[in-house]
mmCIF file of all heavy atoms in Angstrom:
data_model
loop_
_atom_site.group_PDB
_atom_site.id
_atom_site.type_symbol
_atom_site.label_atom_id
_atom_site.label_comp_id
_atom_site.label_asym_id
_atom_site.label_seq_id
_atom_site.Cartn_x
_atom_site.Cartn_y
_atom_site.Cartn_z
ATOM 1 N N GLN A 43 -4.901 -0.037 8.023
ATOM 2 C CA GLN A 43 -6.254 -0.376 7.598
ATOM 3 C C GLN A 43 -6.188 -1.656 6.772
ATOM 4 O O GLN A 43 -5.244 -1.862 6.007
ATOM 5 C CB GLN A 43 -6.892 0.757 6.792
ATOM 6 C CG GLN A 43 -6.126 1.145 5.539
ATOM 7 C CD GLN A 43 -6.776 2.297 4.787
ATOM 8 O OE1 GLN A 43 -7.921 2.656 5.043
ATOM 9 N NE2 GLN A 43 -6.039 2.873 3.850
ATOM 10 N N THR A 45 -7.618 -3.763 3.787
ATOM 11 C CA THR A 45 -8.374 -3.466 2.561
ATOM 12 C C THR A 45 -8.644 -4.745 1.780
ATOM 13 O O THR A 45 -7.840 -5.683 1.795
ATOM 14 C CB THR A 45 -7.646 -2.448 1.659
ATOM 15 O OG1 THR A 45 -6.417 -2.999 1.197
ATOM 16 C CG2 THR A 45 -7.370 -1.155 2.403
ATOM 17 N N TYR A 47 -10.000 -5.416 -2.068
ATOM 18 C CA TYR A 47 -10.477 -4.955 -3.366
ATOM 19 C C TYR A 47 -11.090 -6.148 -4.098
ATOM 20 O O TYR A 47 -10.431 -7.170 -4.301
ATOM 21 C CB TYR A 47 -9.320 -4.407 -4.208
ATOM 22 C CG TYR A 47 -8.769 -3.058 -3.792
ATOM 23 C CD1 TYR A 47 -8.151 -2.867 -2.565
ATOM 24 C CD2 TYR A 47 -8.832 -1.975 -4.667
ATOM 25 C CE1 TYR A 47 -7.627 -1.635 -2.203
ATOM 26 C CE2 TYR A 47 -8.299 -0.736 -4.316
ATOM 27 C CZ TYR A 47 -7.706 -0.578 -3.088
ATOM 28 O OH TYR A 47 -7.182 0.638 -2.739
ATOM 29 N N LEU A 53 -8.447 2.644 -6.894
ATOM 30 C CA LEU A 53 -8.145 3.879 -6.152
ATOM 31 C C LEU A 53 -7.496 4.833 -7.138
ATOM 32 O O LEU A 53 -6.461 4.499 -7.727
ATOM 33 C CB LEU A 53 -7.189 3.541 -4.998
ATOM 34 C CG LEU A 53 -6.954 4.574 -3.899
ATOM 35 C CD1 LEU A 53 -8.252 4.985 -3.226
ATOM 36 C CD2 LEU A 53 -5.970 4.014 -2.874
ATOM 37 N N HIS A 56 -3.548 9.807 -6.240
ATOM 38 C CA HIS A 56 -3.492 10.684 -5.060
ATOM 39 C C HIS A 56 -2.061 10.636 -4.545
ATOM 40 O O HIS A 56 -1.276 9.786 -4.965
ATOM 41 C CB HIS A 56 -4.484 10.207 -3.996
ATOM 42 C CG HIS A 56 -4.190 8.845 -3.489
ATOM 43 N ND1 HIS A 56 -4.489 7.691 -4.205
ATOM 44 C CD2 HIS A 56 -3.562 8.419 -2.372
ATOM 45 C CE1 HIS A 56 -4.086 6.635 -3.530
ATOM 46 N NE2 HIS A 56 -3.509 7.053 -2.409
ATOM 47 N N ASP A 58 -1.187 10.902 -0.995
ATOM 48 C CA ASP A 58 -1.096 10.530 0.430
ATOM 49 C C ASP A 58 -0.681 11.689 1.330
ATOM 50 O O ASP A 58 -0.257 11.455 2.473
ATOM 51 C CB ASP A 58 -0.117 9.358 0.658
ATOM 52 C CG ASP A 58 -0.731 7.998 0.348
ATOM 53 O OD1 ASP A 58 -1.912 7.935 -0.024
ATOM 54 O OD2 ASP A 58 -0.004 6.997 0.491
ATOM 55 N N VAL A 72 2.422 -0.990 2.296
ATOM 56 C CA VAL A 72 1.389 -1.933 1.847
ATOM 57 C C VAL A 72 1.913 -3.334 2.135
ATOM 58 O O VAL A 72 2.947 -3.740 1.595
ATOM 59 C CB VAL A 72 1.103 -1.803 0.330
ATOM 60 C CG1 VAL A 72 -0.004 -2.765 -0.083
ATOM 61 C CG2 VAL A 72 0.738 -0.372 -0.043
ATOM 62 N N LEU A 87 -0.319 -1.371 -8.150
ATOM 63 C CA LEU A 87 0.006 -0.097 -7.512
ATOM 64 C C LEU A 87 0.954 0.650 -8.447
ATOM 65 O O LEU A 87 2.130 0.299 -8.584
ATOM 66 C CB LEU A 87 0.647 -0.352 -6.141
ATOM 67 C CG LEU A 87 1.136 0.869 -5.370
ATOM 68 C CD1 LEU A 87 0.035 1.899 -5.177
ATOM 69 C CD2 LEU A 87 1.711 0.437 -4.011
ATOM 70 N N PHE A 111 7.032 3.288 0.470
ATOM 71 C CA PHE A 111 7.380 4.414 -0.389
ATOM 72 C C PHE A 111 7.166 5.723 0.360
ATOM 73 O O PHE A 111 6.301 5.818 1.229
ATOM 74 C CB PHE A 111 6.613 4.403 -1.717
ATOM 75 C CG PHE A 111 5.110 4.359 -1.607
ATOM 76 C CD1 PHE A 111 4.376 5.542 -1.680
ATOM 77 C CD2 PHE A 111 4.428 3.167 -1.447
ATOM 78 C CE1 PHE A 111 2.991 5.517 -1.604
ATOM 79 C CE2 PHE A 111 3.040 3.137 -1.357
ATOM 80 C CZ PHE A 111 2.322 4.306 -1.439
ATOM 81 N N HIS A 117 0.291 8.169 -6.793
ATOM 82 C CA HIS A 117 0.140 6.738 -7.063
ATOM 83 C C HIS A 117 -1.348 6.410 -7.137
ATOM 84 O O HIS A 117 -2.197 7.224 -6.739
ATOM 85 C CB HIS A 117 0.841 5.908 -5.983
ATOM 86 C CG HIS A 117 0.335 6.181 -4.598
ATOM 87 N ND1 HIS A 117 0.729 7.281 -3.870
ATOM 88 C CD2 HIS A 117 -0.547 5.519 -3.812
ATOM 89 C CE1 HIS A 117 0.113 7.282 -2.689
ATOM 90 N NE2 HIS A 117 -0.682 6.213 -2.641
ATOM 91 N N VAL A 119 -4.218 2.703 -7.516
ATOM 92 C CA VAL A 119 -4.404 1.253 -7.652
ATOM 93 C C VAL A 119 -5.336 1.030 -8.845
ATOM 94 O O VAL A 119 -6.473 1.539 -8.858
ATOM 95 C CB VAL A 119 -5.012 0.629 -6.375
ATOM 96 C CG1 VAL A 119 -5.231 -0.869 -6.558
ATOM 97 C CG2 VAL A 119 -4.095 0.893 -5.163
ATOM 98 N N ARG A 130 -8.147 -8.803 -3.690
ATOM 99 C CA ARG A 130 -6.815 -8.207 -3.430
ATOM 100 C C ARG A 130 -6.812 -7.759 -1.975
ATOM 101 O O ARG A 130 -7.421 -6.748 -1.621
ATOM 102 C CB ARG A 130 -6.595 -7.027 -4.368
ATOM 103 C CG ARG A 130 -5.246 -6.305 -4.195
ATOM 104 C CD ARG A 130 -5.299 -5.002 -4.936
ATOM 105 N NE ARG A 130 -4.031 -4.317 -5.079
ATOM 106 C CZ ARG A 130 -3.559 -3.424 -4.209
ATOM 107 N NH1 ARG A 130 -4.228 -3.134 -3.108
ATOM 108 N NH2 ARG A 130 -2.417 -2.801 -4.449
ATOM 109 N N SER A 132 -4.888 -6.578 1.571
ATOM 110 C CA SER A 132 -3.657 -5.996 2.102
ATOM 111 C C SER A 132 -3.939 -5.226 3.386
ATOM 112 O O SER A 132 -5.097 -4.931 3.719
ATOM 113 C CB SER A 132 -2.978 -5.088 1.070
ATOM 114 O OG SER A 132 -3.876 -4.136 0.594
ATOM 115 N N THR A 134 -2.631 -1.639 4.871
ATOM 116 C CA THR A 134 -1.918 -0.446 4.414
ATOM 117 C C THR A 134 -1.970 0.627 5.486
ATOM 118 O O THR A 134 -2.840 0.617 6.369
ATOM 119 C CB THR A 134 -2.541 0.124 3.125
ATOM 120 O OG1 THR A 134 -3.814 0.704 3.449
ATOM 121 C CG2 THR A 134 -2.748 -0.941 2.075
ATOM 122 N N TRP A 136 0.452 4.309 7.180
ATOM 123 C CA TRP A 136 1.583 5.246 7.107
ATOM 124 C C TRP A 136 2.396 5.203 8.387
ATOM 125 O O TRP A 136 1.841 5.020 9.485
ATOM 126 C CB TRP A 136 1.061 6.669 6.877
ATOM 127 C CG TRP A 136 0.375 6.800 5.560
ATOM 128 C CD1 TRP A 136 0.953 7.000 4.336
ATOM 129 C CD2 TRP A 136 -1.040 6.699 5.317
ATOM 130 N NE1 TRP A 136 -0.015 7.019 3.356
ATOM 131 C CE2 TRP A 136 -1.236 6.849 3.928
ATOM 132 C CE3 TRP A 136 -2.145 6.502 6.144
ATOM 133 C CZ2 TRP A 136 -2.499 6.805 3.355
ATOM 134 C CZ3 TRP A 136 -3.401 6.446 5.568
ATOM 135 C CH2 TRP A 136 -3.563 6.610 4.186
HETATM 136 O O1 LIG B 227 -3.353 -0.771 -1.584
HETATM 137 C C1 LIG B 227 -2.415 -0.191 -2.117
HETATM 138 O O2 LIG B 227 -1.576 -0.771 -2.827
HETATM 139 C C2 LIG B 227 -2.224 1.292 -1.905
HETATM 140 C C3 LIG B 227 -3.316 1.933 -1.106
HETATM 141 C C4 LIG B 227 -3.179 3.422 -1.059
HETATM 142 O O3 LIG B 227 -2.549 4.016 -1.860
HETATM 143 C C5 LIG B 227 -3.845 4.166 0.010
HETATM 144 O O4 LIG B 227 -4.608 3.584 0.797
HETATM 145 O O5 LIG B 227 -3.623 5.384 0.096
#
Side-chain angles (χ1 to χ4, degrees):
Q43 59 181 346
T45 64
Y47 287 64
L53 193 57
H56 62 283
D58 280 359
V72 182
L87 176 55
F111 55 96
H117 58 281
V119 178
R130 179 193 191 270
S132 53
T134 71
W136 296 278

